[in-house]
């Protein structure tokens, strides 16, 4: 299979499925880019094609799903399927199969991220206290000026949430992992192994609040799930895998 795409009004191709997947990950091929592969009667925007394709579990090239074989929420291309399933029958450790990050690895990664964010948040709180009240140690109490108290708490809440969102978006969009996960050799991907879009990164950040409800049950279920998914991974179709 070969892909063609339009860039700056110029038709480019043919390119291999692996090269095309790289273009997708680098966001060179976006939703509005026209693509074509032999057998299609016309060029189509990628947004109308994406759902019909998937990366091969073995080669990581992008193929049409109709020409692939499903395997545990992923797909294997026709070219790779015979060798892949033969290795499975022989018990060979096949490259491309996801190795999921365990509960305690994820817990430690979360702890590291919490420490980093905690230090930065502390600096922000001290800064707000200095700007608003002229002293790091002087902060309004609930029995004093209620307006100042609620304003200060609101600023702390908004800045903390904004920092957490920026932290997640920046590192996941560029490295597929937060610093805590990078330190432990973990990364976050879609169920098909592809990178997360900006919208999915943001949605996953807020979905983590759902996981934290009711005594953090949403996080705890990762210890019992066969793919080590927390509740927010179920919601956003993500997996935390070992990258090394």
């Amino acid at each position: 299979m070969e892909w063609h795409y339009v860039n700056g009004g110029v038709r480019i191709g043919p390119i291999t499925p692996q090269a095309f997947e790289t273009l997708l990950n680098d966001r060179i091929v976006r939703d509005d880019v026209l693509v074509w592969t032999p057998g299609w009667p016309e060029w189509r925007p990628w947004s109308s094609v994406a759902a019909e394709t998937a990366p091969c579990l073995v080669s990581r090239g992008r193929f049409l799903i109709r020409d692939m074989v499903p395997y545990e929420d992923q797909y294997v291309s026709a070219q790779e399927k015979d060798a892949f399933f033969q290795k499975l029958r022989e018990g060979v450790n096949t490259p491309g199969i996801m190795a999921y990050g365990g509960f305690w690895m994820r817990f430690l990664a979360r702890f590291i991220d919490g420490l980093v964010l905690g230090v930065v948040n502390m600096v922000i709180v001290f800064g707000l206290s200095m700007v608003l009240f002229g002293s790091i140690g002087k902060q309004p109490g609930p029995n004093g000026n209620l307006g100042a108290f609620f304003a200060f708490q609101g600023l702390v809440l908004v800045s903390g949430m904004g920092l957490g969102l920026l932290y997640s978006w920046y590192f996941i969009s560029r490295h597929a992992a937060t610093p805590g996960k990078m330190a432990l050799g973990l990364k976050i991907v879609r169920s098909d192994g592809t990178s997360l879009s900006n919208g999915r990164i943001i949605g996953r950040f807020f979905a983590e609040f759902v996981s934290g409800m009711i005594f953090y049950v949403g996080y705890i279920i990762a210890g019992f799930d066969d793919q080590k998914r927390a509740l927010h991974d179920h919601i956003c179709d993500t997996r935390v895998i070992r990258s090394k």
Side-chain angles (χ1 to χ4, degrees), residues 66-142:
R66 71 187 184 194
D67 300 326
M68 305 176 78
V69 177
Y71 176 77
E72 293 188 354
D73 297 327
Q74 300 185 71
Y75 294 89
V76 180
S77 67
Q79 295 91 326
E80 303 285 352
K81 66 178 182 180
D82 291 339
F84 175 79
F85 287 106
Q86 179 61 35
K87 288 181 179 180
L88 286 183
R89 287 190 291 270
E90 296 172 356
V92 176
N93 184 19
T94 307
I97 297 179
M98 291 184 184
Y100 303 107
F103 174 81
W104 290 111
M105 290 182 70
R106 296 186 61 172
F107 175 84
L108 183 55
R110 179 78 178 180
F111 180 76
I112 294 172
D113 288 327
L115 287 179
V116 175
L117 286 170
V119 170
V120 179
N121 267 317
M122 186 178 298
V123 173
I124 292 175
V125 170
F126 286 161
L128 288 173
S129 180
M130 178 64 73
V131 171
L132 295 176
F133 310 110
S135 172
I136 291 179
K138 184 180 179 181
Q139 298 176 14

Side-chain angles (χ1 to χ4, degrees), residues 5 13 23 28 38 50 52-53 88 90 104 115 128 134 153 164 174 179-180 189 207 225 231 234 239:
Y5 71 102
L23 294 175
I28 294 174
E52 302 174 17
T53 71
L88 286 183
E90 296 172 356
W104 290 111
L115 287 179
L128 288 173
Q153 296 300 324
R174 284 161 175 74
V189 297
D225 186 82
L231 179 58
H234 283 275
R239 305 291 187 276

Side-chain angles (χ1 to χ4, degrees), residues 208-225:
E208 288 197 50
F209 288 99
V210 180
S211 291
M213 295 178 180
I214 315 177
F215 306 109
Y216 294 92
V217 169
Y219 287 101
I220 294 172
I221 64 174
F224 305 95
D225 186 82

